[in-house]
Amino acid sequence: MLGAWGAAALAVLSKGIVVGVLAGAALILYTLSERDTHTWRRLHPGRAWRCSQRSAAPWFVVVSLRNPSFPGFFFVHEHFTRFLTTVHQRVEPWWYFLRCCCWECCRGSRRWRGPAVAPGLEPLPRRGGAGAAGGGLPQFKPLKFLLIFAAVTLVFFSASGSKLAPTSCPCCRYWRRHRRTQWRGGEFARQAARIGAGLVLFVAADSLSIAPAQQLRAHQALWWALAGALAALVAVAVSFSRQPTQLPASIVTAASAILAWQCLLCEYTLIPPARSARDLVSTARPFIGARTPLYSVGQYRETVSPYLGRTLQPVGFEES
């Protein structure tokens, strides 16, 4: 459970406090539907709070001290304003996400049968000494919880004033696929690893075709591409094991995929120079003083600020 809280803290760093809203609402609805509160006893709120604070709070504190406008922008504008208003000009009808998600949930839940018990959440015996078979507490149903979580996510973002297509619910499609195939002896895991590796190899080869003319940077891009391809091939090799759905194999496959795409991102910063603001900042830095006002007119290149170590004021630019 502490590992889950740590993962939640990292999710807050990447997507904000909406993580707590979605997970908390799903757990409340699951509790009401099952009339079961014993799951709450395993949350360890005291230690979980300390774990989450140590993981996420330092970054927010440091960024807020260096950029006093950050708390208002991040916590208010990027959460409440984005959800309650149309300031981002991403206005879509309320059924925008339903066309690709809703029917998946319905088909997946039509014949729902979750596993008997989730690992680590076995029913606790009663004080009288009776075991699980003799009147233990209700068992946790992980697949039902995930279905509720998918439904909560769908409803939440459908009610938002700012709708973006990638916010759809791939977990709903996973749900139907899982129920229909029961992984078919790991077939889904095998195909995911092989298709992902194919995409990595294709992107690596395509990116090398536009490698810069500078020999040093071309060699750097080549090494990153080879590293990504090697990581992808590791995932493919694991997919040929007899039981790729076991936890170690799953971890290796996921880690290899993450490493492969990270390598491609590192390569992407090298080709061509227009893809990154590093060269632009290197050229302009001698002419920028500590108090020089900086503006980004008509566009906003996200990589300028990190290389420059300064924030820019957008002018005549609206986020699309």
Side-chain angles (χ1 to χ4, degrees):
M1 185 57 69
L2 292 180
W5 279 104
L10 297 179
V12 170
L13 287 176
S14 63
K15 295 304 294 183
I17 59 178
V18 68
V19 175
V21 175
L22 299 178
L27 186 57
I28 291 174
L29 291 177
Y30 174 85
T31 301
L32 294 176
S33 66
E34 289 291 312
R35 299 180 181 179
D36 168 27
T37 60
H38 89 281
T39 304
W40 292 84
R41 306 176 191 176
R42 298 177 180 267
L43 294 181
H44 305 291
R47 287 187 293 174
W49 174 258
R50 293 191 295 269
C51 175
S52 301
Q53 291 301 304
R54 292 170 182 172
S55 301
W59 187 87
F60 285 109
V61 171
V62 172
V63 172
S64 299
L65 291 176
R66 294 185 178 181
N67 302 277
S69 62
F70 172 79
F73 174 79
F74 181 76
F75 292 106
V76 178
H77 183 272
E78 288 298 292
H79 286 83
F80 297 99
T81 305
R82 177 188 289 267
F83 183 85
L84 298 174
T85 70
T86 59
V87 65
H88 286 278
Q89 301 298 316
R90 294 170 178 167
V91 181
E92 299 292 346
W94 63 269
W95 44 264
Y96 180 67
F97 295 124
L98 290 177
R99 57 188 177 185
C100 59
C101 293
C102 186
W103 71 279
E104 299 280 2
C105 289
C106 294
R107 293 185 63 181
S109 61
R110 188 179 305 166
R111 294 185 297 175
W112 185 87
R113 292 191 305 271
V117 61
L121 290 177
E122 293 80 5
L124 295 174
R126 295 186 182 277
R127 292 183 178 180
L137 294 174
Q139 298 172 343
F140 182 72
K141 301 175 181 177
L143 293 184
K144 183 175 183 179
F145 174 80
L146 290 177
L147 177 61
I148 294 176
F149 181 84
V152 168
T153 303
L154 176 62
V155 173
F156 179 85
F157 286 108
S158 294
S160 172
S162 178
K163 297 181 177 65
L164 192 62
T167 317
S168 58
C169 301
C171 50
C172 300
R173 183 175 297 276
Y174 155 77
W175 167 260
R176 181 173 64 85
R177 179 68 178 265
H178 179 87
R179 287 303 310 142
R180 185 179 65 183
T181 65
Q182 287 296 306
W183 291 91
R184 292 181 180 174
E187 184 62 26
F188 180 77
R190 294 190 183 96
Q191 294 300 327
R194 296 168 189 175
I195 293 175
L199 290 174
V200 169
L201 295 176
F202 173 80
V203 173
D206 182 69
S207 61
L208 288 177
S209 65
I210 56 173
Q214 296 94 328
Q215 184 176 10
L216 175 60
R217 298 187 66 180
H219 285 171
Q220 293 176 342
L222 176 61
W223 282 115
W224 281 119
L226 292 177
L230 179 62
L233 293 177
V234 171
V236 174
V238 174
S239 72
F240 283 99
S241 63
R242 294 184 178 181
Q243 295 179 322
T245 56
Q246 289 183 348
L247 182 59
S250 300
I251 293 176
V252 172
T253 301
S256 299
I258 294 173
L259 178 60
W261 287 109
Q262 289 297 326
C263 290
L264 292 186
L265 289 176
C266 292
E267 179 198 6
Y268 185 78
T269 62
L270 299 172
I271 54 170
R275 300 292 186 185
S276 171
R278 184 173 62 178
D279 292 344
L280 172 64
V281 171
S282 298
T283 303
R285 188 185 297 276
F287 306 96
I288 300 176
R291 297 186 177 181
T292 303
L294 301 177
Y295 302 93
S296 181
V297 182
Q299 63 175 334
Y300 185 75
R301 299 182 62 175
E302 289 83 356
T303 58
V304 172
S305 291
Y307 284 122
L308 196 59
R310 295 273 302 277
T311 57
L312 286 77
Q313 176 64 43
V315 177
F317 172 77
E318 291 185 2
E319 183 180 5
S320 60

